[in-house]
Amino acid sequence: MEEPGQLKRALIDATAGAISGAVSRTVTSPLDVIKIRFQVQLEPTAQWALLRKDSYRPSKYTSMWQATKDIFREERLPGFWRGNVPALLMVMPYTAIQFTVLHKLKTLASGSSKSEDHIHLSPYLSYVSGALAGCAATVGSYPFDLLRTILASQGEPKVYPTMRTAFVSILQRHGFRGLYAGLTPTLIEIVPYAGLQFGTYDTFKRWTMGWNRYRSSDPNESDLFLSSFQLFLCGLAAGTCAKAVCHPLDVVKKRFQIEGLPRDLRYGARVEDRAYKNIFDALFRILQTEGWAGLYKGIVPSIVKAAPAGAVTFVAYEFTSDWLESVST
């Protein structure tokens, strides 16, 4: 049985994590929809690639601007928030679990439950704590991630009009295991991604504190306090670094998640059932048929989304956590 202080801390972390995740996800939903449309498109996603003779059919989306115009013309504004409900159902428990487990792991590693003591952990421990927290959060929220991807990628006409129809169809066709399609590449992706995101965020915070200390006339006080803009920049840099390194695994995950999904031919060829044997086979086949560019489809909207998403998440978490602590004392 946890002590009241520990339970209170866990509730604060879970609530702050859920709120920060919901805010970040809703703000960046349009970029996420565009990213997913690129990732699940088998045809080339760049104009220059269409000139190659082995390009077997026209591409639906070829640039962020063109994709934005097409989605708005065909689906209007709601198209940019397609799949947002399951995404919120995914991201709120995800960030709640992630920040709760992260704080617990850092408390065990540092011997203190105070957040200001956690910043002095080594980069290695920050990376490991972030990776383990990401794994726990992924397993706990994965079915909603799967539903989000399917709803966001289907286009018009809708194959699944609601989240419930998608859920029931998956259970009927593939059973309970179908709700975890693509979990293995997701876990393989989340270890370096969450580790890099939290590890680099802590590193950038330490560097910024050092910079504040260097510039301050009172080095004993100001180094512990970062402005909201500084926190935003640290989150921005952390999100960019993590996404740039791990994007190919995210592409593979999306391909596994939409295997066999029927959709209109104007969106391009579909990913057939059991198109890939495993992660390595998927990486090899994508590389073989689509080139290196295939592994980085959607990288621009992905980074454009990941950078502010990471920044908003961290800033919202820090402020919400501080506010909850102040009102609960």
Side-chain angles (χ1 to χ4, degrees), residues 1 14 21-22 59 62 92-93 103 147 164 236 270 277 283 314:
M1 184 74 177
S59 299
T62 56
M92 292 181 72
H103 191 276
L147 292 171
R164 182 180 179 279
L236 197 75
R270 76 172 191 172
K277 297 177 183 177
L283 287 169
F314 283 121

Side-chain angles (χ1 to χ4, degrees), residues 2 58-59 143 161 175 220 232 275:
E2 287 190 322
S59 299
N220 293 321
F232 183 86

Side-chain angles (χ1 to χ4, degrees), residues 112-255:
S112 170
S113 63
K114 297 180 179 179
S115 298
E116 54 265 30
D117 293 331
H118 296 172
I119 196 63
H120 302 297
L121 286 175
S122 71
Y124 172 76
L125 286 175
S126 292
Y127 177 92
V128 173
S129 298
L132 292 175
C135 287
T138 297
V139 173
S141 61
Y142 189 79
F144 295 109
D145 185 21
L146 177 74
L147 292 171
R148 180 276 307 256
T149 298
I150 288 175
L151 294 178
S153 66
Q154 63 182 341
E156 291 287 350
K158 297 177 182 177
V159 178
Y160 304 116
T162 65
M163 183 174 65
R164 182 180 179 279
T165 57
F167 178 79
V168 172
S169 178
I170 292 170
L171 284 179
Q172 289 176 341
R173 291 171 56 202
H174 304 291
F176 183 76
R177 292 183 61 183
L179 295 174
Y180 284 87
L183 177 62
T184 301
T186 303
L187 289 175
I188 291 176
E189 175 207 4
I190 206 64
V191 169
Y193 180 77
L196 279 171
Q197 188 178 39
F198 285 100
T200 54
Y201 180 67
D202 286 347
T203 298
F204 287 130
K205 281 180 69 175
R206 279 193 294 270
W207 289 349
T208 307
M209 287 177 177
W211 173 251
N212 288 351
R213 186 186 303 116
Y214 172 76
R215 296 185 60 196
S216 174
S217 57
D218 187 2
N220 293 321
E221 295 293 333
S222 65
D223 66 305
L224 292 179
F225 299 97
L226 301 182
S227 68
S228 57
F229 181 67
Q230 288 177 324
L231 289 172
F232 183 86
L233 289 180
C234 290
L236 197 75
T240 302
C241 292
K243 183 55 69 175
V245 171
C246 303
H247 188 78
L249 289 170
D250 192 39
V251 171
V252 170
K253 178 186 80 171
K254 294 295 189 295
R255 297 290 178 89

